[in-house]
Amino acid sequence: MDDPAVKAVYSEYFSHLIQNGNKLDWLKDFFLYLFVVPLRWTYALGLSPWLNFARISAVNWEYLRVFLLFPYLLLSILGLVLVQRSIRSNKTASFYFVALILLSLPFTHWILTFTSYSYHLFCFGLLLNAYLKTQNNACGKYFNFSSVANSLVVLFNYQYLVIVFIFGVSNFIENPKDFFTKSRYKNWVMPFIFCLSSVIFLLLRSVISGKHTSPAYAALPDKIEGDYNFLNHISGVNQALDFLILSFFDVINYFFELRLSLFFGILITIFLILIIIKSYISNKNKLIIKFSILFIIGQYILYLSGVVPLSPTRHQLILFLPIILLISIALQSIFDGFSAYKMNLLIPFVFLLFGALYQIDHIIKMPRGTSLNSLEGVLYSQGVQSLILAPCDFEPILHPEIRVKYNPLYRCGPKIFKTLDPALDRIAVWSLLPLDLSLIASYVKDFSSEKWFIQPYDGAHQFGNIGFLYIAIKK
């Protein structure tokens, strides 16, 4: 936020609300750091304030990063403990649940990032505990664990707005008389206030900035957003069903990095659904199953209404935990039949061990060393004058030498804060993933109207395969 171009954009935003020059300066110079920075992308608590340590600390980012991840790890562990407490009568289900988490490289990657996705385990644990307490307590209170938990998840990640709303509506439908006579409604007053405030904030931000109300999805290419938008696939019943089935398995394949065929995927899904239905009818894990189904229904309301696309990306990680909780319940029902052979604890332990070994193997195969420490030297040797970052690949900004010398141009959404100096004739583009040159050219075009010749940097091995550099020379 010390970039004059960024400050100018936010000054323009605030000028729509405040005309007084002194108050506008106060917003820009003080309030901006406390309010806008934490809410910049997803208005998730703690995102940007942690990253700001990289701007004021002399500690190398690679060491500082480990320290700053500690609060996120604690919250994830707390979330896991909350889930375990909720299903403690199902010991083997806890094993399967943790094993399935370990088997998902995308999920374990994103819970270790400085984003709202890092809070999924914590939010899920809070919601599950709050739901069970709300179901088991006939009388409500304005301030109790359930009301606080349902309010907190909305603060940490506004993807849970609709989920909390669905749980509140469900509580009313199941107990229409008790909802008011026994004050059950009191459990939902605080969450309602937080949800309403969050919606107002998102709408207000959209109005004053012209920004997408869901910034996480604003970064998606239009083609992806269109291809996975349900409303673009409703010309017939068969097309709609095909889209829902195919997109669901695309997401499942993304969770576990699978290439599962549609035929076997459907067979496995039907089998698991029948096991879950049997468990529900027999009153085993009834509340947990109901919680997971309501959770999934709440998210699918957003998909079916076209508010968000059902794309196989990190944005669907919100569905991961309720789905694997249902799978864990199904696996428990299947393998608990081996109790007569004293295998009911061995089998989930083997699952857990396999998940742990899978993660260890992934860590071992990760490239050693941090490539970004050598990026500055490569930029200097190539005569690069400025650096453009692929959307949301912001890590180079956290390295002070790169930030000061190469003034990286960056966006994470549609807004372009500043453009490339026309006097520059040799720049570079950094991306975490290998990209097609035409896509790299489109990123450069976001910041420059000039024509550029682009080629990949041929020394990519210096970066340990954790990032890719492209050199652009003005034609």
Side-chain angles (χ1 to χ4, degrees), residues 370-384 387-389 393-397 399 401-403 405-406 408 428-431 457 459 462-464 466-471:
T370 302
S371 61
L372 282 180
N373 289 335
S374 61
L375 177 59
E376 184 195 354
V378 172
L379 295 175
Y380 177 79
S381 67
Q382 293 293 312
V384 169
L387 180 65
I388 292 176
L389 308 180
D393 292 350
F394 59 81
E395 187 171 342
I397 294 178
H399 293 254
E401 297 84 2
I402 296 174
R403 184 173 66 250
K405 293 181 181 179
Y406 298 98
V429 180
W430 171 264
S431 170
Y457 171 62
Q462 292 189 33
F463 302 109
I466 70 166
F468 296 84
L469 190 67
Y470 300 84
I471 305 298

Side-chain angles (χ1 to χ4, degrees), residues 94-355:
S94 300
F95 280 87
Y96 295 126
F97 185 77
V98 176
L100 289 169
I101 288 176
L102 293 174
L103 288 172
S104 175
L105 295 181
F107 186 81
T108 53
H109 165 77
W110 282 102
I111 62 173
L112 295 177
T113 60
F114 297 90
T115 65
S116 57
Y117 310 110
S118 305
Y119 302 124
H120 275 315
L121 257 176
F122 177 62
C123 291
F124 187 76
L126 283 177
L127 278 178
L128 180 56
N129 267 257
Y131 178 80
L132 296 179
K133 289 182 182 297
T134 302
Q135 293 292 311
N136 294 325
N137 296 331
C139 297
K141 295 181 179 180
Y142 290 117
F143 189 83
N144 57 21
F145 178 86
S146 297
S147 63
V148 172
N150 285 319
S151 302
L152 275 179
V153 295
V154 176
L155 278 182
F156 276 88
N157 188 333
Y158 66 66
Q159 279 188 292
Y160 291 92
L161 267 169
V162 175
I163 310 298
V164 172
F165 176 77
I166 288 296
F167 286 144
V169 172
S170 170
N171 194 233
F172 169 72
I173 293 174
E174 292 174 358
N175 309 278
K177 294 181 180 179
D178 293 351
F179 195 79
F180 294 104
T181 58
K182 293 188 177 180
S183 301
R184 283 180 179 269
Y185 73 91
K186 291 182 179 179
N187 290 323
W188 299 101
V189 172
M190 186 188 297
F192 175 78
I193 293 172
F194 274 75
C195 287
L196 182 62
S197 302
S198 302
V199 170
I200 291 172
F201 170 82
L202 293 172
L203 292 175
L204 183 63
R205 182 179 64 180
S206 178
V207 169
I208 67 173
S209 68
K211 186 177 176 61
H212 197 295
T213 51
S214 179
Y217 287 96
L220 287 177
D222 292 336
K223 184 178 187 304
I224 291 180
E225 189 169 356
D227 288 348
Y228 288 96
N229 191 313
F230 177 70
L231 297 183
N232 294 337
H233 302 271
I234 55 174
S235 60
V237 175
N238 289 338
Q239 186 192 30
L241 288 176
D242 284 347
F243 170 77
L244 290 175
I245 292 171
L246 291 172
S247 57
F248 173 77
F249 284 106
D250 281 347
V251 170
I252 295 298
N253 284 332
Y254 165 74
F255 287 160
F256 298 104
E257 297 189 338
L258 297 173
R259 292 294 181 268
L260 189 66
S261 72
L262 184 60
F263 176 75
F264 285 107
I266 291 175
L267 285 181
I268 293 171
T269 301
I270 292 173
F271 176 69
L272 292 176
I273 288 174
L274 292 175
I275 296 295
I276 291 167
I277 291 173
K278 180 183 176 182
S279 180
Y280 184 86
I281 293 174
S282 63
N283 283 324
K284 292 180 179 178
N285 308 301
K286 191 170 184 176
L287 286 179
I288 295 174
I289 293 172
K290 188 188 295 185
F291 164 83
S292 300
I293 292 174
L294 284 173
F295 193 112
I296 294 170
I297 288 173
Q299 188 62 18
Y300 260 83
I301 287 174
L302 295 177
Y303 300 143
L304 298 179
S305 61
V307 175
V308 295
L310 185 50
S311 54
T313 60
R314 64 186 183 275
H315 310 101
Q316 273 34 272
L317 290 175
I318 189 173
L319 281 176
F320 177 70
L321 294 175
I323 287 175
I324 68 166
L325 185 55
L326 287 174
I327 295 173
S328 301
I329 296 298
L331 291 174
Q332 180 193 40
S333 300
I334 294 168
F335 292 114
D336 273 4
F338 290 90
S339 58
Y341 305 97
K342 298 182 179 180
M343 298 283 286
N344 57 320
L345 289 178
L346 178 61
I347 293 174
F349 177 77
V350 170
F351 266 82
L352 184 59
L353 181 62
F354 181 75

Side-chain angles (χ1 to χ4, degrees), residues 1 6-37 39 201 204-205 207-209:
M1 300 308 297
V6 176
K7 284 189 175 183
V9 170
Y10 277 105
S11 294
E12 181 185 352
Y13 292 163
F14 290 139
S15 66
H16 294 296
L17 301 175
I18 296 174
Q19 301 300 321
N20 185 295
N22 292 330
K23 291 182 179 179
L24 191 62
D25 289 339
W26 178 79
L27 281 172
K28 183 173 65 175
D29 297 331
F30 176 73
F31 190 59
L32 191 66
Y33 291 88
L34 296 180
F35 186 71
V36 174
V37 173
L39 312 181
F201 170 82
L204 183 63
R205 182 179 64 180
V207 169
I208 67 173
S209 68

Side-chain angles (χ1 to χ4, degrees), residues 58-70:
V59 179
N60 184 287
W61 166 246
E62 300 308 320
Y63 300 107
L64 185 62
R65 172 186 198 145
V66 176
F67 173 75
L68 296 181
L69 275 175
F70 188 66

